[in-house]
Structure formats: C-alpha cells, structure tokens
Amino acid sequence: MTAYGYFLSSEEFTPAELLDQARMAEQAGFEGLAVSDHFHPWNDEQGQSPFVWSMIGALSQVTSLPITTLVTCPTVRVHPAINAQAAATAAVLTGGRFRFGLGSGEALNEHILGGAWPEAAERLQMLEEAVQVIRKLSTGERVTHHGTHYTVQNARLYTLPAEPVPLYVSGFGPEAAALAGRIGDGFVTMTPDATLVEQFRRAGGGGKPVIGGLKVCWDTDRARAVKTAHRLWPSEQLPGELAQILPTPEHFEQAAGLVTEDMVADAVVCGDATGDHVAAVRAYSEAGFDEVYVSQIGPDQKQFFDFYRAEVLPRLRDGMSVD
C-alpha cells in the first residue's frame, strides 16, 4: 500500500514555518516527511534556504515521522565523507527514521565554491563514487579511499545508527534509473512514470522502495491558486536540463519568463476540488510508487492540512473515487 507524506519546501519557508508544517503534517495523518536540500532557492520570490542538517536536527525533536532528504547532492558542495557523518547523526537523532535521498545535483546549489559544473555523465560517475564512500564509512571501520573523484584518509565514523542509513538514489531518465537500481536502496523520481519505475526494477531495484513527490496549491479560489503557483514555482515547468545547469536564481527568473500561467494551470493541481487532488496523488500509486510526498505551495498551510486530513487522505487510503 502506498504511504503518503508531506514535502517540506526549504526554498519557500523559514525554519520555524517548516517545523510548524511538520507538526501539522503529523496531526493531519501524513506518514512521513521529505525535505529539500538547497543552498539557493529557485528564485528570489521563494526567498528562503535553511541548512538542511540543522533542520533535520530540529525536526527530530518535534515529530516522530520518518524524514527523507529529497534530495541531497553529495558530490560537490559537501564532500561525501561529511555527508556520511551528517546522515549517520541524523539517523541517530531520529531513532533510525532517517533515509538519505541522493542525486547528481544542480549547478544552482553546487557551483558556489567556484569549480566547473560537470557534464551529466560525469555527475553520475561522481554520484556512484560518493555512494561507495558513504557506504564504506557507514560500516564504522576506518576508511582510506583514493578514487577518481574523492580521497578519504584514515576516516572513521564514531556516531552511528544501529543499521546503515538507506540510500535512495534520484533519477529522471533511463541511465539514472538504472544506476539507482544498481547502487541504491530505493529510487526517487518526481513524475508518475511507470516506465522509469520498471527500468529501475529491471536494473536491480526489485522490491526496493520507489518515492515520488508533487506540488499542489490548495485555495478556495482556483484562479488565485494558479497565480500563487506561477509566482512561486514557475521553474517546475522549465524543460530539459535547464534545472540542472542554470547557476543562479536570477537565471531561473529569466528562463521562467517563458512560463505562462496557463502552463502552470495545466501542470499543477490548483484549487480545492477534492477529485483533482486525489487523482494527482493516486497517479503515483498507479505507476508503482511506494511513497508519495505532497507539498503545498503558498501560505495557506493550515487550510491545506485540514483539507487533506478530512477530504483527500481518507479517499486515497480507502480507494474511494471522487466525481
């Protein structure tokens, strides 16, 4: 049965607001939390970007829900050895309820130290080696690693959870899905694409978890919801590799000038029609996903959680249709 969680948007909300949302998500009946890991927001209108590891420490003290990063890039901005230590501590703080979502990253967050942004194929190679480093350190043994991209010298993690942190690998195309099947404990992808799920499973994913997520904008006025989603998240509608290669929020704002409100209205569930929300989330279950994380765009968080508690989650769990 598919589990339904809430996706905390660290690009859009302050740390205090994210903690409030986590509490409301648990009270509303969501079964897990996902949190984004960014250095920059996608645009200045979103306006936030707290440090994810500080947030996870705080979240561990206010909720009993499992927490997953969706996703962390462990290859450029922060060395994989430090990511391994951070993930292990997060797992200890949460009593083993932390899962580490990993991806090949975006220039938006990873270019900040001044290095060149690698091509996609090299980024996948770096991700694979980073996973190797994290797994070695997760054993608690002393690790020395001299690889193509990373060096680790006499490193050992002393604060470790009872079991290694599950590593869920993100991908949006067949090569990344195959890599996730080969090296990951689970697969993360953001569209309800049954073909990608099958590619992951054929490549070694078997019965491992598949996780997805979507943004919605609840509002009693659909037109107003569309405007809110267009103002805050036009970047979601940018095509191809733009999301991976544009380096600054200003570049995303320039590119997003090509995204119209009609494009957002066609792609994002906006308004308070229960059937629209149920159908959008259920599409992931039908595509073979094990967990789906929903994120509310904009300020109406309490109303969103009330709506999902009363109208959406019961129908999803009972398999009820909505006219």
Side-chain angles (χ1 to χ4, degrees):
M1 180 178 292
T2 303
Y4 304 103
Y6 187 72
F7 201 146
L8 298 166
S9 173
S10 61
E11 304 93 324
E12 193 183 334
F13 299 101
T14 67
E17 289 170 331
L18 295 172
L19 294 179
D20 284 343
Q21 290 169 22
R23 296 184 188 98
M24 288 189 288
E26 187 164 16
Q27 293 165 2
F30 285 97
E31 300 164 84
L33 296 171
V35 59
S36 53
D37 180 359
H38 270 241
F39 190 88
H40 291 136
W42 297 97
N43 56 55
D44 283 356
E45 192 70 28
Q46 292 171 353
Q48 295 293 327
S49 197
F51 187 49
V52 73
W53 299 111
S54 301
M55 284 308 313
I56 291 169
L59 288 166
S60 73
Q61 303 305 297
V62 302
T63 178
S64 63
L65 295 178
I67 302 168
T68 307
T69 55
L70 293 185
V71 293
T72 293
C73 176
T75 60
V76 177
R77 174 170 39 114
V78 180
H79 191 283
I82 307 304
N83 275 290
Q85 183 186 30
T89 300
V92 171
L93 280 169
T94 58
R97 292 178 286 109
F98 176 69
R99 290 90 54 81
F100 201 9
L102 300 167
S104 59
E106 305 97 9
L108 175 70
N109 302 302
E110 308 305 322
H111 83 284
I112 60 169
L113 302 181
W117 183 235
E119 297 289 333
E122 184 177 3
R123 297 202 303 271
L124 289 179
Q125 293 169 6
M126 294 170 72
L127 178 60
E128 183 169 4
E129 187 176 339
V131 168
Q132 293 172 3
V133 169
I134 292 167
R135 289 201 188 280
K136 288 178 180 179
L137 286 164
S138 297
T139 65
E141 301 295 324
R142 191 172 303 278
V143 173
T144 293
H145 172 94
H146 296 284
T148 303
H149 300 284
Y150 305 107
T151 297
V152 179
Q153 190 72 36
N154 296 326
R156 179 185 172 190
L157 296 184
Y158 282 81
T159 299
L160 288 166
E163 299 291 334
V165 176
L167 306 182
Y168 293 176
V169 176
S170 174
F172 301 96
E175 291 184 9
L179 178 66
R182 184 160 52 83
I183 70 171
D185 300 313
F187 179 42
V188 178
T189 192
M190 291 296 115
T191 58
D193 188 333
T195 300
L196 274 184
V197 173
E198 180 58 28
Q199 289 168 335
F200 163 72
R201 300 216 181 278
R202 285 202 309 266
K208 298 174 183 177
V210 176
I211 295 177
L214 72 159
K215 290 179 173 58
V216 302
C217 189
W218 179 93
D219 194 308
T220 54
D221 184 319
R222 185 174 186 274
R224 185 170 59 204
V226 170
K227 289 183 180 298
T228 299
H230 180 259
R231 175 173 60 84
L232 290 167
W233 288 94
S235 56
E236 290 280 292
Q237 311 313 319
L238 294 177
E241 292 186 64
L242 284 178
Q244 282 75 53
I245 64 175
L246 295 179
T248 69
E250 290 78 12
H251 287 96
F252 277 92
E253 289 164 5
Q254 292 166 14
L258 302 173
V259 177
T260 66
E261 286 189 11
D262 286 344
M263 292 167 64
V264 171
D266 288 342
V268 180
V269 174
C270 293
D272 62 352
T274 301
D276 292 346
H277 287 264
V278 170
V281 178
R282 186 172 282 160
Y284 289 80
S285 303
E286 294 170 347
F289 284 66
D290 300 285
E291 301 174 28
V292 188
Y293 292 84
V294 183
S295 181
Q296 161 70 0
I297 298 170
D300 295 323
Q301 295 292 319
K302 183 181 185 305
Q303 296 92 330
F304 162 85
F305 285 116
D306 289 343
F307 173 67
Y308 264 66
R309 177 177 56 241
E311 301 293 338
V312 178
L313 293 177
R315 286 169 169 80
L316 289 169
R317 291 182 177 128
D318 293 344
M320 297 166 60
S321 61
V322 182
D323 294 333

